[in-house]
Amino acid sequence: MDDPPPAHAEPHRAGDLGTRLNWLRAAVLGANDGVVSTAGLVVGVAGATDSRAALLTAGLAGLLAGSLSMAAGEYVSVSTQRDSEQAALEVECRELAQEPEAELAELTAMYRAKGLTEELARAVAVQLTRHDALGAHAETELGIDPEELTDPWHAALASFAAFTVGALLPLLAIVLPPPATRLWITVASVLAALAACGWAGARMGGARPRPAVLRNMAGGGLAMAVTYGAGTLLGAAGV
């Protein structure tokens, strides 16, 4: 007689997995923005001048401006989202305190809508309410985990770091090599980085990597071509 399969003891934490994937996807997108924006800037300057000092100054200015802008934007965005979630939780707390029976009936109805029988839906709602009424209503009704609200400071620092890491590649690629090869080394390294970002983003989203890689490389290549052309025209005009 075959032995029964061993119990699967690994805890399933889909919410944590989703949060981690969102953070990873945001990091990839932030790094991608850093690569494209800084590459476009330094390649444009390279079209106008061979001065390493000018390239370093422009690249550093773009890196700092971009990373700080990303951090500030992420902080404001996540803070607004967090304020909205906290306001919704406060409303739910008041309703649970003032109308517990109505809230229980509402939770029961939501479980009935998910396919449970009336008796089972009522039993589940009662048990979850006894265990953690706010958590049950927040998750089922609002789609919020009160214990997992996003920290705006963490989001801002993550965006700052991701953009900085991405921006460092084109900056170093344009500054370190000799003038004769710096442009081609920069273009090649940027396209490789964009291919990696596109592949990573597609894999995390469950999409096919090839279209994402091609779109990413095409967008970055177009940005560098446009800025290099503008820089070359300005350099030729003596601006």
Side-chain angles (χ1 to χ4, degrees), residues 19-235:
T19 299
R20 287 197 297 271
L21 288 177
N22 285 336
W23 279 104
L24 287 172
R25 190 174 294 112
V28 169
L29 293 175
N32 191 84
D33 287 344
V35 171
V36 173
S37 60
T38 306
L41 178 60
V42 297
V43 166
V45 175
T49 178
D50 286 333
S51 170
R52 180 175 273 109
L55 291 169
L56 180 60
T57 301
L60 282 175
L63 185 155
L64 290 173
S67 58
L68 290 171
S69 175
M70 286 282 291
E74 194 70 12
Y75 179 83
V76 170
S77 174
V78 174
S79 293
T80 301
Q81 176 185 339
R82 187 184 178 93
D83 290 344
S84 298
E85 290 174 344
Q86 288 177 330
L89 291 174
E90 289 172 2
V91 170
E92 199 64 39
C93 280
R94 286 198 301 270
E95 292 177 346
L96 285 168
Q98 296 170 1
E99 301 175 325
E101 288 302 321
E103 289 297 299
L104 181 61
E106 182 180 31
L107 191 60
T108 300
M110 285 187 283
Y111 286 121
R112 281 283 292 118
K114 291 179 181 290
L116 300 183
T117 64
E118 178 67 31
E119 295 78 9
L120 182 56
R122 176 78 179 185
V124 170
V126 168
Q127 290 188 35
L128 289 178
T129 298
R130 288 174 180 170
H131 174 68
D132 181 7
L134 178 60
H137 279 268
E139 180 181 358
T140 307
E141 184 178 348
L142 305 175
I144 299 173
D145 184 348
E147 303 299 324
E148 295 290 339
L149 297 183
T150 305
D151 188 335
W153 283 108
H154 288 172
L157 290 174
S159 294
F160 180 90
F163 188 97
T164 300
V165 169
L168 279 174
L169 184 136
L171 175 58
L172 296 177
I174 202 74
V175 170
L176 296 180
T181 58
R182 64 170 48 135
L183 180 61
W184 301 113
I185 289 175
T186 301
V187 171
S189 60
V190 165
L191 291 178
L194 292 176
C197 288
W199 181 87
R203 293 291 294 176
M204 283 185 284
R208 292 191 300 122
R210 181 181 174 83
V213 168
L214 293 178
R215 284 195 301 267
N216 231 24
M217 294 177 68
L222 179 61
M224 289 187 287
V226 170
T227 56
Y228 181 76
T232 301
L233 291 175
L234 291 173

